[in-house]
Amino acid sequence: MEDSKEVERRLPNLVVAGVGHSGTTILTRILGILGWTLPGVVDSFLEHREIRKLNQQIVTGANFDRERAVAVLHDLEQHQSWAVKDPRFALTLNRWRQLVSARSTTS
């Protein structure tokens, strides 16, 4: 049985993926209200600035800065419960999953 102290539950880290104009900004705003940290957000679209740049590189076929992406993942890990959103994740999530998988096997 749990003792009477308040037990803090850790929220899972989330990636919000969906095509543009599908409600991802509203969902992300609600996640922030519910307690998720929204790191790197700089505008009303609630997109992480560096993730947006990296996803744009993938979408446009430019050289993907893998080292920068790993650094962004490291920065995200500094937050207890984070959520990130970028509509480009609908096209780029597989690349990110590869990076996350590689990091989790080396941790």
Side-chain angles (χ1 to χ4, degrees):
M1 180 150 217
E2 303 280 335
D3 64 359
S4 60
K5 292 181 183 178
E6 186 176 322
V7 177
E8 184 178 326
R9 291 189 171 187
R10 183 166 190 250
L11 301 169
N13 298 326
L14 297 175
V15 172
V16 178
V19 297
H21 305 287
S22 64
T24 56
T25 300
I26 294 169
L27 173 60
T28 304
R29 187 175 313 281
I30 291 169
L31 291 172
I33 291 168
L34 292 175
W36 275 266
T37 301
L38 307 175
V41 170
V42 294
D43 59 23
S44 62
F45 295 113
L46 302 179
E47 297 170 3
H48 187 288
R49 174 185 33 214
E50 292 300 316
I51 289 175
R52 180 188 326 172
K53 290 177 187 176
L54 290 161
N55 280 338
Q56 192 63 30
Q57 288 177 346
I58 297 169
V59 170
T60 61
N63 289 331
F64 177 60
D65 188 345
R66 186 178 178 89
E67 287 182 26
R68 182 65 195 135
V70 169
V72 167
L73 291 173
H74 177 74
D75 290 345
L76 289 175
E77 292 167 356
Q78 306 311 304
H79 301 278
Q80 184 173 14
S81 299
W82 50 262
V84 293
K85 170 251 185 195
D86 185 350
R88 287 162 281 272
F89 275 133
L91 301 170
T92 66
L93 192 55
N94 192 47
R95 180 72 66 97
W96 286 97
R97 288 179 64 188
Q98 292 170 1
L99 287 175
V100 170
S101 294
R103 286 184 63 75
S104 64
T105 59
T106 60
S107 298

